[in-house]
Amino acid sequence: LGHDRINNRVGYGVIARDEDIFVLDGGGGFEDETMLVERAKTFTFDESILIACKLNIKADVIFETDNSSLVNR
């Protein structure tokens, strides 16, 4: 997650791994809007859910984040 103050863009990245830590998929990009860190973290979480759906995972999914506010929700 990064922020480009000059262009008001927020960069994000998502990695999907299996139980053996093998990378299954990933993604990322930039959003052309200014947003608070809290919103940027929830945006990235939403993107993580979309990747899990795209992979058609039928088992349990564990999402990791370093944002305590998001974890507590």
Side-chain angles (χ1 to χ4, degrees):
L1 189 61
H3 189 320
D4 179 352
R5 291 186 188 275
I6 295 171
N7 296 316
N8 290 325
R9 296 185 333 162
V10 175
Y12 65 92
V14 177
I15 299 172
R17 300 177 187 267
D18 67 9
E19 62 273 1
D20 297 321
I21 312 177
F22 181 78
V23 175
L24 300 173
D25 200 353
F30 289 92
E31 283 298 303
D32 290 324
E33 68 178 273
T34 301
M35 59 179 82
L36 298 173
V37 172
E38 181 85 12
R39 169 67 183 116
K41 294 285 187 171
T42 57
F43 179 85
T44 303
F45 182 64
D46 291 344
E47 292 298 314
S48 300
I49 293 170
L50 291 176
I51 286 180
C53 292
K54 181 178 94 172
L55 291 172
N56 200 25
I57 298 172
K58 301 292 184 189
D60 293 336
V61 177
I62 298 172
F63 295 97
E64 294 182 14
T65 181
D66 62 354
N67 186 287
S68 61
S69 177
L70 185 60
V71 170
N72 290 333
R73 288 184 187 176

